[in-house]
């Protein structure tokens, strides 16, 4: 059971990092086209990880 909790948290952390990296790599124009501000990246990555 502890292993499954650990694996779930690890998967969520990986989703967070992947989303964060992909959004962080975009330039400001690309983010604006998506309606995202650079300040929103962490919150969006957290939502993706849930």
């Amino acid at each position: 059971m502890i292993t499954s909790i650990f694996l779930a948290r690890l998967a969520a952390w990986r989703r967070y990092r992947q989303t964060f990296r992909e959004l962080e790599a975009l330039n400001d124009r690309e983010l604006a086209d998506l309606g995202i501000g650079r300040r929103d990246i962490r919150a969006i990555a957290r939502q993706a990880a849930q």
Side-chain angles (χ1 to χ4, degrees):
M1 182 156 149
I2 292 173
T3 303
S4 62
I5 293 170
F6 173 76
L7 292 176
R9 287 186 179 183
L10 180 61
W13 180 80
R14 286 181 174 167
R15 281 191 306 274
Y16 172 86
R17 291 298 304 154
Q18 181 67 30
T19 303
F20 183 87
R21 270 189 249 124
E22 288 179 11
L23 291 174
E24 186 71 16
L26 298 175
N27 63 41
D28 290 339
R29 173 65 190 256
E30 293 167 326
L31 288 171
D33 287 347
L34 295 171
I36 298 171
R38 197 155 291 281
R39 69 186 177 281
D40 302 324
I41 292 174
R42 288 184 197 272
I44 292 168
R46 271 195 301 272
Q47 267 185 327
Q50 291 180 352

